[in-house]
Amino acid sequence: MSSAPIDTAVDATARARDFLGVTRLTNSALRGWLHGLPGVDHVGCDARAGDLGTRSIKNDAKLWAIDLAISMIDLTTLEGSDTAGKVRGLCAKALTPDASDLSTPRPAAVCVYGDMVPVAREALGTDSGVGIAAVATAFPSGRASMAVKLADTREAVAASANEIDMVIDRGAFLAGDYLTVFHQIADVKQACGPARLKVIMETGELVTYDNVRRASWLSMLAGGDFIKTSTGKVAPAATLPVTIVMLEAVRDWFALTGEMVGVKPAGGIRTSKEAIKFLVAVNEVAGEEWLDNKWFRFGASSLLNDLVLQRQRMKLGFYSGADYVTDDAPSLY
């Protein structure tokens, strides 16, 4: 399976022209293609989410799912009040999620503001296996010039971020200016260099499932390595029906192109029970190939605590108190 990156914005535009079968990439061409995608059956999507949400797994399979979910977390702090000490504490938690059981998997990454990347890198080192994701492009609003957005991205990558979580211009998208959104994603992808790009669509502001599907395809066409639901600053954030729409998009993109694209629901997923519902959806909708932290992530902070507590219960046969795990500041994450 390929995850061939798009190296430059020029390559993204050329590929998009080939994909759409046009000689010139225009708003009209993108609009015609995006609005030609099959509509989402809203009632059917909600019903499928409800059905998948009732599935249960037990015993060894549940412990496997808990460990997998832990390994998929982007452990997150994105507050204006973040300090170097708070980020170091987050990194310490990522390195040792459960001091009483060192077999507990580590999360995939910590997710911080760009100016905190050097602090996180110093705390994590270079061989811990825990990556650093930096939010960029004037997160969470996305209201800034492209010069600022690109500088934001390059600075985070230069500071050793492995991944960049960018926000799309929702105003441009909702106004039908798909070409602007396309070029912004492609340009940020180019600025990422070796770092992987997660494209935050802020699905709570996109309103309809059809818009979520269109934004997903536009993000992939422009070169996103991941499509991500939310900043965690807008409600609703990650919901199971929206994630199903996104999982269908990456599945269908792979069928057409042979390229795998990841999915990251972020915001509001706090319990093991909720996380397992999402993993069931990944398996049933996209396929087991996506049951890997290279292709699926949870943007979360408090979720790790509940997963650790559930893991302890399954190992020890009883629940530990909440004071056996570190606390997190209140957040949509």
Side-chain angles (χ1 to χ4, degrees):
M1 293 185 179
S2 169
S3 58
I6 299 171
D7 293 327
T8 69
V10 173
D11 289 340
T13 300
R15 189 181 72 158
R17 289 197 305 263
D18 291 342
F19 190 88
L20 273 60
V22 297
T23 57
R24 183 166 170 261
L25 190 64
T26 64
N27 248 326
S28 178
L30 284 170
R31 188 179 301 111
W33 177 65
L34 291 170
H35 286 259
L37 293 170
V40 180
D41 178 352
H42 192 123
V43 174
C45 184
D46 286 349
R48 188 174 192 192
D51 176 63
L52 292 173
T54 63
R55 308 281 179 87
S56 62
I57 57 176
K58 305 293 184 183
N59 304 322
D60 289 347
K62 184 174 182 180
L63 183 58
W64 173 83
I66 287 172
D67 279 1
L68 180 61
I70 291 173
S71 78
M72 290 174 162
I73 290 176
D74 283 355
L75 191 60
T76 301
T77 183
L78 294 170
E79 302 296 333
S81 58
D82 284 346
T83 64
K86 184 176 181 181
V87 170
R88 290 189 193 100
L90 190 79
C91 293
K93 183 174 180 177
L95 292 174
T96 311
D98 183 1
S100 70
D101 185 351
L102 299 183
S103 71
T104 306
R106 289 173 171 173
V110 297
C111 185
V112 296
Y113 277 109
D115 64 313
M116 289 293 177
V117 171
V119 177
R121 176 55 66 206
E122 181 181 11
L124 292 170
T126 58
D127 58 358
S128 66
V130 180
I132 300 174
V135 294
T137 66
F139 176 96
S141 71
R143 309 309 313 179
S145 69
M146 274 308 293
V148 169
K149 292 180 181 182
L150 294 175
D152 198 17
T153 300
R154 293 185 183 114
E155 183 177 319
V157 173
S160 77
N162 307 106
E163 301 167 355
I164 295 295
D165 289 26
M166 71 166 288
V167 287
I168 68 166
D169 184 335
R170 283 88 74 190
F173 181 88
L174 292 170
D177 188 0
Y178 301 129
L179 188 62
T180 289
V181 179
F182 174 91
H183 282 309
Q184 289 183 352
I185 295 169
D187 288 348
V188 172
K189 172 62 178 175
Q190 183 182 25
C192 282
R196 298 178 81 194
L197 176 63
K198 304 193 196 90
V199 182
I200 307 171
M201 301 180 295
E202 198 66 285
T203 53
E205 293 183 343
L206 298 186
V207 183
T208 69
Y209 293 165
D210 284 343
N211 274 341
V212 172
R213 174 168 285 174
R214 290 168 189 150
S216 297
W217 280 86
L218 183 61
S219 299
M220 294 186 293
L221 185 68
D225 299 299
F226 263 78
I227 50 176
K228 177 178 172 181
T229 60
S230 321
T231 62
K233 307 298 184 183
V234 172
T239 68
L240 192 56
V242 158
T243 304
I244 286 172
V245 173
M246 294 164 61
L247 288 166
E248 290 173 343
V250 299
R251 176 200 66 198
D252 294 344
W253 176 263
F254 174 72
L256 281 174
T257 68
E259 297 173 3
M260 287 186 73
V261 173
V263 174
K264 179 180 173 180
I269 305 171
R270 298 186 178 89
T271 69
S272 302
K273 184 176 181 180
E274 290 171 322
I276 289 172
K277 289 179 182 179
F278 279 82
L279 294 182
V280 169
V282 172
N283 185 66
E284 294 292 322
V285 178
E288 63 180 349
E289 295 89 352
W290 273 265
L291 288 173
D292 185 296
N293 67 8
K294 186 175 181 181
W295 303 115
F296 193 80
R297 299 281 180 85
F298 294 104
S301 57
S302 58
L303 174 61
L304 180 56
N305 284 355
D306 193 70
L307 288 165
V308 168
L309 287 172
Q310 291 294 331
R311 192 176 191 274
Q312 290 175 352
R313 183 193 67 81
M314 294 194 71
K315 292 262 187 174
L316 302 174
F318 58 85
Y319 281 106
S320 299
D323 55 346
Y324 278 79
V325 294
T326 55
D327 196 12
D328 293 293
S331 168
L332 271 176
Y333 274 99

